[in-house]
Amino acid sequence: MADYMRYVYLGVVLAPLLASIIAGLFGRSIGRAGAHWVTIIGVGIAFILSSVAFNYIVFDGGEVFNGAVYTWLVSGDTRLVIGFLIDRLSVTMMVVVSFVSWVIHIYTIGYMHDDPGYQRFFSYTALFTFFMLILVMANNFLQLLFGWEGVGLVSYLLIGFWFKRESANQASVKAFLANRIGDFGFVLGIAAIMTYFHTLDYAQVFQQAPLMANTTIELLRGTAWPLMTVICVLLFIGAMGKSAQVPLHVWLPDSMEGPTPISALIHAATMVTAGIFMVARMSPLYELSATALSLVLVVGAIGAFFIGVLGVVQHDIKRVIAYSTISQLGYMAAALGASAFSAGIFHLVTHAFFKALLFLAAGSIIIAMHHEQDMRKMGGLGKYMPITWITMVIGGLALSGVPGTAGFFSKDAIIDAVGHSNLPGAGFAHVALLVGVFVTALYTFRLIFLVFHGPERFGAEVRKHVHESQAVVIVPLIVLAIPSLMLGAILVGPMLYEGHFGHALLVLPQYDVLAQMGEDYHGPWALVLHGLIGLPFIFALLGFGVAWYCYIKRPDIPKRAAERAQIIYNVLVHKYGFDEFYESFFAGGARGVGNLFWRVGDVALIDGLAVNGSARAVGWFSSIVRTIQSGFLYHYAFAMIIGLLLLLAIFVHGIL
């Protein structure tokens, strides 16, 4: 390895960390401009150095780096270290995370221009980038956990950034608690790895894994559970929290309470992609458990379709995009479950660009509408905001998987891969993903038609001030729109069929669906031509057509449909009842248990028995003693005689 590369890798993580510290601790001294410049430069340096690392590893064929940079603790044969694993998977994630974060930092100058917490926001976002980079560059489970919990902490701070809003506080706590549930399983999985592998180093665990493939453990008396299945399921529970998989998805829509730039950062480059990356990184473990793969596949498919449907009944522009994130994360998870790890990461990459584009375009609309987010109060904005309109359309086309866009290449690859899979649940998953394409196109173009087309549904006062956003907002949209259109065609061959990830992702021959698909691969444009007659595009066209007919041609239909299918509509509006169930069963149950402990422990035992009971006992004893203190001499003489008799009985006769 070139000697300077170690310093390049250190620079990638240290640049945003130092920028965050400077903006956070010295924000008042350096001012608002100083805060955004230092963080933009810090994250920009991380992107440049990530690009250097990408060029070294991918194009120059440089040596993979796997080593410690700091030893934290040594106990016997166990070494806990801070270390980097820089391979083709790592450098791909480093470039995506740092670039998208960099663009969002620039955009934030315009969006947060008048916010009193300006410096604090830039400090948080740079810290968010640091933790995500630490996570994707880790070479051991301890550092993975550090980055994992770090992005969870900063997401809590950013979702609740406007902490004077009660809804923001509730949303941040909800995100924190949902992730704690997932992280409990994640920590148990890491503990199981430490217990049975006696190391937390990736390379050593992956090397030993085949030897442990037939090992079983007894979780319940008289039962034998495959060790690899237990570990992989526990790790995936962590991914369900971070990457918002059913049933731990409920925090993600509420994360829209944070400022729009952080919505883009969470949904595109950080946090939610952490779980997808983790499962892909752990491919040597997951390939040893068909049960765990099937679980990932089915859970992903459920999220891709059923949670995507909820976007159709949302009126908040950001929440529609949020539900689309959960749906697309479901596609990625389904790809991982089908052992198409490369396809899952490929969709993660393309999704990062077009999802950031959609959120930032939504932010441009919100600025123009004076922070109005209800799509029912918009309409006809296309003529006022042409650049925002065209970039939003590009993002929508990519999200819908229209042939030629970046989303088409990655999403179609996932659907095809799941169709080739022989794992249990693959048939259901394939159908769910196909119908999910229709749903995606429906809610995406419903948003576009309601916001940019049709009659204007806002007042004259808003009309006076609505206009295209300033350059610092528009330029990032244009920058993100380009890869949202072109990146898929550039990457589809290398990432899926030409071994871009090398040995970073392990797939066993019996599960290698991408190898089967590669036999029919004849270049990106052949895929485009095939996609024009494929089922996914037909479903996308159907979704587009339904959206146009219901929201442009016959805007009365949605209301009538909701009235006629009131039961179904209510189920969707209440999000399948997940929030109500969690609120009543878990939150209500916790409050009930707490109330029981308060009544029994505090009121009855501590206050009633210990505190008040001791006071009553002292009073009762004192009342008896007072009767003895009569003041008559013969009473005291009688007591003395009785006492002497008791002493004689004790010492002479041993009665007591």
Side-chain angles (χ1 to χ4, degrees):
M1 183 187 75
D3 294 336
Y4 68 89
M5 290 307 299
R6 181 188 292 266
Y7 300 104
V8 169
Y9 304 145
L10 283 171
V12 170
V13 295
L14 291 180
L17 176 61
L18 291 175
S20 173
I21 292 172
I22 294 171
L25 297 182
F26 307 104
R28 290 187 178 181
S29 301
I30 63 178
R32 297 164 73 89
H36 71 237
W37 275 116
V38 72
T39 51
I40 288 172
I41 291 172
V43 176
I45 290 173
F47 167 63
I48 293 170
L49 295 179
S50 296
S51 300
V52 171
F54 186 91
N55 179 73
Y56 175 75
I57 296 292
V58 176
F59 294 118
D60 294 344
E63 179 185 354
V64 170
F65 177 77
N66 181 16
V69 295
Y70 174 74
T71 300
W72 179 55
L73 178 67
V74 178
S75 177
D77 295 331
T78 302
R79 293 173 59 87
L80 302 180
V81 304
I82 301 299
F84 296 149
L85 172 57
I86 310 300
D87 57 10
R88 287 169 170 257
L89 176 60
S90 297
V91 292
T92 300
M93 292 295 299
M94 288 157 58
V95 169
V96 172
V97 170
S98 57
F99 178 75
V100 174
S101 178
W102 191 29
V103 173
I104 291 172
H105 274 73
I106 296 170
Y107 173 94
T108 301
I109 296 174
Y111 192 88
M112 300 292 288
H113 183 265
D114 298 321
D115 197 282
Y118 193 82
Q119 293 97 317
R120 177 165 58 94
F121 187 83
F122 275 97
S123 175
Y124 287 170
T125 51
L127 187 62
F128 209 166
T129 307
F130 160 74
F131 277 121
M132 190 65 190
L133 289 169
I134 277 287
L135 187 154
V136 301
M137 295 169 67
N139 75 339
N140 63 86
F141 287 93
L142 176 66
Q143 186 175 327
L144 173 68
L145 181 63
F146 174 70
W148 191 270
E149 296 300 334
V151 293
L153 170 64
V154 183
S155 69
Y156 165 79
L157 296 173
L158 284 166
I159 293 169
F161 182 79
W162 288 321
F163 53 84
K164 292 183 179 180
R165 296 182 183 177
E166 183 61 27
S167 58
N169 290 326
Q170 292 178 354
S172 62
V173 171
K174 187 175 184 179
F176 195 80
L177 292 177
N179 277 274
R180 294 291 70 71
I181 295 171
D183 292 352
F184 180 68
F186 189 65
V187 170
L188 288 178
I190 294 176
I193 289 171
M194 186 65 192
T195 301
Y196 289 93
F197 290 85
H198 307 292
T199 181
L200 293 178
D201 182 79
Y202 288 167
Q204 296 180 36
V205 171
F206 297 161
Q207 185 178 13
Q208 296 179 47
L211 305 176
M212 309 287 282
N214 297 319
T215 302
T216 59
I217 58 176
E218 186 177 0
L219 294 181
L220 300 173
R221 187 180 297 274
T223 62
W225 298 71
L227 173 63
M228 298 312 304
T229 296
V230 172
I231 289 174
C232 291
V233 169
L234 288 172
L235 293 177
F236 182 62
I237 291 173
M240 290 167 70
K242 278 290 179 290
S243 293
Q245 297 296 298
V246 178
L248 298 180
H249 66 284
V250 292
W251 67 270
L252 195 60
D254 288 4
S255 70
M256 298 301 98
E257 290 293 336
T260 297
I262 198 53
S263 299
L265 195 57
I266 289 176
H267 289 240
T270 62
M271 186 70 170
V272 297
T273 61
I276 302 300
F277 165 79
M278 183 275 295
V279 175
R281 174 60 84 193
M282 299 302 131
S283 59
L285 305 184
Y286 279 87
E287 286 296 277
L288 300 175
S289 174
T291 301
L293 288 174
S294 292
L295 175 66
V296 176
L297 174 62
V298 172
V299 169
I302 290 172
F305 173 68
F306 288 99
I307 305 303
V309 171
L310 300 181
V312 179
V313 299
Q314 298 297 312
H315 302 297
D316 185 306
I317 185 171
K318 286 173 63 177
R319 284 183 178 265
V320 174
I321 304 173
Y323 279 109
S324 83
T325 298
I326 301 176
S327 179
Q328 298 310 301
L329 289 167
Y331 277 90
M332 298 176 208
L336 302 178
S339 291
F341 298 103
S342 298
I345 297 298
F346 182 29
H347 196 51
L348 183 156
V349 172
T350 60
H351 175 265
F353 291 96
F354 65 72
K355 184 52 58 70
L357 172 61
L358 288 169
F359 267 114
L360 298 190
S364 176
I365 295 163
I366 292 168
I367 294 171
M369 296 296 295
H370 299 284
H371 293 277
E372 177 60 64
Q373 296 181 197
D374 192 334
M375 297 186 297
R376 294 171 296 184
K377 299 179 182 179
M378 300 180 188
L381 290 178
K383 59 180 176 288
Y384 299 103
M385 309 178 70
I387 300 177
T388 300
W389 170 73
I390 189 61
T391 54
M392 177 70 90
V393 169
I394 290 172
L397 292 173
L399 175 61
S400 302
V402 172
T405 63
F408 157 75
F409 291 101
S410 55
K411 183 183 284 188
D412 264 36
I414 291 174
I415 296 171
D416 202 8
V418 172
H420 280 79
S421 176
N422 294 318
L423 286 169
F428 159 77
H430 188 235
V431 173
L433 298 184
L434 272 174
V435 182
V437 175
F438 163 76
V439 174
T440 301
L442 174 58
Y443 63 64
T444 300
F445 283 95
R446 169 180 176 264
L447 181 154
I448 291 172
F449 291 143
L450 285 176
V451 172
F452 294 105
H453 301 273
E456 298 175 3
R457 296 181 295 278
F458 47 86
E461 189 62 30
V462 174
R463 189 177 296 107
K464 290 179 183 178
H465 303 286
V466 64
H467 57 80
E468 189 61 271
S469 298
Q470 56 187 309
V472 73
V473 172
I474 291 302
V475 171
L477 299 185
I478 297 172
V479 170
L480 290 169
I482 295 170
S484 296
L485 275 177
M486 302 173 57
L487 194 63
I490 296 171
L491 296 181
V492 61
M495 279 200 171
L496 295 186
Y497 308 117
E498 297 171 14
H500 167 80
F501 294 107
H503 298 292
L505 300 174
L506 175 67
V507 181
L508 297 180
Q510 63 267 32
Y511 298 137
D512 198 352
V513 292
L514 289 179
Q516 303 174 37
M517 295 163 54
E519 296 174 0
D520 299 321
Y521 176 66
H522 302 291
W525 303 118
L527 287 178
V528 172
L529 293 175
H530 182 268
L532 290 172
I533 58 172
L535 278 177
F537 183 50
I538 293 172
F539 276 104
L541 284 177
L542 184 60
F544 173 86
V546 171
W548 174 83
Y549 189 76
C550 291
Y551 296 99
I552 297 296
K553 183 71 173 177
R554 293 285 306 276
D556 58 306
I557 287 181
K559 183 177 180 180
R560 289 167 52 194
E563 292 173 350
R564 291 185 179 182
Q566 190 70 37
I567 296 176
I568 297 175
Y569 181 74
N570 286 336
V571 169
L572 297 179
V573 167
H574 288 88
K575 297 165 282 190
Y576 304 118
F578 278 105
D579 286 333
E580 288 85 351
F581 174 72
Y582 291 159
E583 171 63 28
S584 60
F585 185 78
F586 291 108
R591 288 192 295 268
V593 171
N595 188 54
L596 176 64
F597 284 144
W598 170 69
R599 291 187 178 278
V600 175
D602 284 15
V603 176
L605 296 179
I606 297 175
D607 293 342
L609 184 61
V611 178
N612 297 331
S614 60
R616 285 193 294 269
V618 170
W620 173 80
F621 183 74
S622 299
S623 65
I624 294 177
V625 172
R626 280 199 302 270
T627 61
I628 297 175
Q629 299 293 329
S630 62
F632 294 108
L633 184 60
Y634 61 86
H635 284 172
Y636 301 147
F638 178 75
M640 292 173 63
I641 293 170
I642 295 299
L644 286 172
L645 291 174
L646 288 174
L647 288 174
L648 286 172
I650 292 171
F651 292 110
V652 177
H653 299 286
I655 293 176
L656 298 177

